[in-house]
Amino acid sequence: MSRLCFDYGHGGEDPGATYNGRKESDDVLSLGKEVAAEVRRHGVVVDETRTSDATVSLNDRSSFENENTYHYFISFHRNAYEPEKAKGVETYTYLNPGEKSRELAESIQASLVILGFVDRGVKEANYHVLRETKSPAVLVEIGFIDNSGDNNLFDEKRSEIIKAITKAILYELGIDYIEASAETEEAIGQTLYRVMAGSYSIRQNAENQIKNLKEARVDATIMIFDK
């Protein structure tokens, strides 16, 4: 089963970049948690370095990631420069990145540019959370918090941003994105209890069971578990 570590930048005593009362720490926490919910909907395990407005040091973030083995570590941020002087998205990898880090960064970057953000490119940086984590790691700056145009995109296309980042991650994991039903969308943020209807060593048997369940109007899909 795929497993990810999500890192929401700043928090608690460290609001990150701020502009007109808006805090980076709040933006990335709320958006990142929704991306996590969407990714989990596809059977992926997501651990988070923080789940509330809490202060988490850089060392604690990397130590948290080091405790487990992840397919990817993804850190969510928003950029800042001078008010209204810069805009766009950029995604970072560590210096001389591995293929997995680079490909995920390129997928996330492209998915956000399509939504209207200025393309500032995929870049390399010696950031702590990229350097001190074990798994392929990326850090994404989702627009400039001190740019009104980027904030409008962040707010008005929020659901599209969540979907775009989710699809980029799933693509790199080799998982097909499944559109959420109306019932699923209403349940986001709630605790859901999934019921398994059997495990099969032969895929055809699993597909036959899926067919039977769908004929009985039961929502069903195949989830692959490696022993």
Side-chain angles (χ1 to χ4, degrees), residues 7-12 14-33 50 52-54 58 61 75-81 90 92 127 129 139-146 151 154 158:
D7 174 54
Y8 313 130
H10 310 283
D14 174 18
T18 61
Y19 187 57
N20 292 337
R22 187 169 191 146
K23 298 193 296 185
E24 176 185 5
S25 57
D26 290 341
D27 277 2
V28 297
L29 176 65
S30 61
L31 183 88
K33 289 176 70 175
R50 70 181 178 99
S52 63
D53 187 22
L58 292 176
R61 293 170 193 269
S75 190
F76 294 77
H77 287 260
R78 297 206 64 203
N79 227 329
Y81 179 58
E90 53 194 24
Y92 287 87
Y127 294 146
V129 294
L139 184 152
V140 55
E141 298 274 10
I142 312 171
F144 280 71
I145 201 168
D146 56 0
N151 285 336
F154 190 92
R158 182 185 182 89

Side-chain angles (χ1 to χ4, degrees), residues 35-128:
V35 175
E38 269 290 90
V39 174
R40 289 182 179 124
R41 186 170 63 82
H42 291 78
V44 178
V45 174
V46 181
D47 295 335
E48 299 155 294
T49 57
R50 70 181 178 99
T51 56
S52 63
D53 187 22
T55 303
V56 184
S57 70
L58 292 176
N59 282 332
D60 285 343
R61 293 170 193 269
S62 57
S63 295
F64 179 89
E65 188 273 348
N66 289 172
E67 291 176 359
N68 290 292
T69 299
Y70 296 101
H71 286 82
Y72 293 103
F73 172 91
I74 303 169
S75 190
F76 294 77
H77 287 260
R78 297 206 64 203
N79 227 329
Y81 179 58
E82 294 179 5
E84 310 299 341
K85 293 290 182 66
K87 59 184 177 180
V89 294
E90 53 194 24
T91 308
Y92 287 87
T93 66
Y94 184 53
L95 310 177
N96 300 313
E99 183 178 356
K100 287 188 175 181
S101 295
R102 185 182 66 255
E103 289 182 350
L104 176 60
E106 290 173 350
S107 291
I108 292 175
Q109 180 72 14
S111 72
L112 294 174
V113 169
I114 289 174
L115 298 181
F117 287 102
V118 169
D119 186 1
R120 297 176 63 88
V122 172
K123 303 178 179 180
E124 298 177 9
N126 188 26
Y127 294 146
H128 177 98

